[in-house]
C-alpha cells in the first residue's frame, strides 16, 4: 500500500536545508563586514590599496563591489530549490539580476585587475577569475535561452563557485600569509602570499563545484 501525505490547501511550507542556511548566513555576514567602508564612497576608507597613476581605480572597484554584492545575494536565491520550484518567476528575475551584476561587475574588475597593488601574481589570478566569471555566466545565460536547463544549471553552479571566491579569499590570504611570510614588512613575500591566496580562492571552489556536478550526474544516471 502506498500512502500519500497531503498538505492543507493554501499553506506553503518554506523549506531551507542546512547547507542553504549556512550559505545565506555566510553571504550576509560577509556583506555586513565588507560593504560599510564603501557605502560613503570615500576612497580613504577603502580596504584595498590603490596603485599609483590609476585615477579610475576606486570607481571601478566600488562598481565591482556593489554589483558583486547583488550577485552574491541573487546567487543564493538562484540556488534555493524551494524558491525555484515554488516561485519560478522570482527565480527568473533573480537570475536576470545575477547575470547583469556578474557581467558588469566582472568587466569592472577586469579594468583594474591588471594593475592591483600586490603585483603580477595577484593580477594574473584576479584577471583569470574575472574572465572565467563572465564567461561561465554568459554560458549559463545562453543555455537558459535555449531551454537547455540541465546545462544552464551546471554553468551557473560554476559561475557562483567563482563568485563565492571573494568570501573565501580572506581566509586563503590569511592562511598563506601565516605559512609563507616570515616578515610582513617584506613586500615581495607579502605579494607572493597574497597572489597564492588569490589563486586558491577560486581554483579550489571550481574544483569542488566540478566534483559536485560530476557526483550529481552519476547519482541521477544511477536512478
Amino acid at each position: 500500500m502506498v500512502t500519500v501525505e497531503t498538505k492543507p490547501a493554501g499553506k506553503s511550507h518554506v523549506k531551507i536545508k542546512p547547507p542553504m542556511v549556512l550559505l545565506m548566513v555566510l553571504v550576509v555576514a560577509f556583506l555586513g563586514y565588507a560593504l560599510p567602508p564603501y557605502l560613503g564612497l570615500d576612497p580613504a576608507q577603502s580596504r584595498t590599496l590603490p596603485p599609483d597613476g590609476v585615477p579610475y581605480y576606486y570607481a571601478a572597484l566600488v562598481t565591482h563591489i556593489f554589483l558583486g554584492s547583488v550577485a552574491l545575494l541573487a546567487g543564493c536565491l538562484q540556488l534555493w530549490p524551494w524558491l525555484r520550484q515554488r516561485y519560478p518567476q522570482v527565480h527568473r528575475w533573480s537570475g536576470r539580476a545575477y547575470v547583469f551584476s556578474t557581467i558588469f561587475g566582472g568587466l569592472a574588475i577586469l579594468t583594474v585587475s591588471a594593475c592591483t597593488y600586490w603585483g603580477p601574481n595577484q593580477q594574473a589570478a584576479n584577471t583569470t577569475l574575472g574572465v572565467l566569471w563572465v564567461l561561465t555566466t554568459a554560458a549559463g545565460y545562453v543555455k537558459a535561452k535555449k531551454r537547455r536547463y540541465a546545462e544552464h544549471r551546471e554553468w551557473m553552479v560554476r559561475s557562483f563557485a567563482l563568485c563565492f571566491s571573494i568570501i573565501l579569499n580572506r581566509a586563503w590570504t590569511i592562511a598563506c600569509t601565516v605559512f609563507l611570510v616570515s616578515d610582513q614588512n617584506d613586500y615581495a613575500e607579502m605579494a607572493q602570499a597574497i597572489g597564492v591566496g588569490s589563486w586558491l580562492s577560486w581554483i579550489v571552489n571550481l574544483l569542488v563545484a566540478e566534483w559536485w556536478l560530476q557526483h550529481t550526474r552519476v547519482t541521477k544516471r544511477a536512478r
Side-chain angles (χ1 to χ4, degrees):
M1 179 183 294
V2 178
T3 59
V4 179
E5 182 181 349
T6 60
K7 296 179 181 178
K11 291 187 178 181
S12 174
H13 297 275
V14 179
K15 297 179 180 179
I16 309 181
K17 295 183 179 180
M20 196 70 229
V21 174
L22 177 60
L23 176 64
M24 292 179 175
V25 168
L26 284 174
V27 167
V28 171
F30 172 76
L31 294 180
Y33 160 79
L35 276 180
Y38 301 96
L39 295 178
L41 301 179
D42 180 4
Q45 300 298 316
S46 175
R47 290 196 176 103
T48 302
L49 294 172
D52 294 330
V54 187
Y56 57 84
Y57 180 86
Y58 184 74
L61 176 66
V62 168
T63 299
H64 167 71
I65 288 171
F66 288 164
L67 290 177
S69 300
V70 174
L72 281 169
L73 293 171
C76 288
L77 296 179
Q78 286 295 100
L79 294 176
W80 188 2
W82 178 87
L83 185 68
R84 183 172 64 247
Q85 296 163 9
R86 189 78 179 182
Y87 298 103
Q89 191 66 21
V90 175
H91 175 75
R92 284 191 288 270
W93 279 105
S94 64
R96 293 184 181 106
Y98 180 82
V99 170
F100 176 87
S101 57
T102 295
I103 296 296
F104 288 98
L107 292 176
I109 201 61
L110 284 175
T111 64
V112 296
S113 60
C115 57
T116 50
Y117 180 81
W118 292 107
N121 198 9
Q122 186 193 41
Q123 291 165 6
N126 288 345
T127 299
T128 306
L129 168 60
V131 170
L132 291 176
W133 193 30
V134 170
L135 291 179
T136 52
T137 305
Y141 176 76
V142 169
K143 297 300 182 184
K145 295 294 286 184
K146 293 181 178 180
R147 299 183 181 278
R148 295 163 65 171
Y149 295 119
E151 294 173 74
H152 160 72
R153 167 184 165 273
E154 294 194 356
W155 281 111
M156 297 310 286
V157 166
R158 296 181 183 108
S159 173
F160 190 75
L162 294 169
C163 181
F164 197 74
S165 68
I166 188 60
I167 295 179
L168 296 183
N169 178 267
R170 273 64 178 172
W172 280 114
T173 297
I174 292 171
C176 289
T177 301
V178 169
F179 289 105
L180 300 178
V181 175
S182 58
D183 179 6
Q184 293 194 8
N185 293 316
D186 186 326
Y187 173 84
E189 282 193 359
M190 285 295 295
Q192 187 68 8
I194 289 172
V196 171
S198 297
W199 284 106
L200 291 174
S201 69
W202 64 264
I203 288 176
V204 173
N205 283 13
L206 205 54
L207 289 173
V208 171
E210 288 297 328
W211 172 85
W212 185 79
L213 289 171
Q214 180 63 29
H215 175 74
T216 54
R217 284 194 212 111
V218 171
T219 301
K220 287 179 179 178
R221 290 194 200 106
R223 291 175 183 174

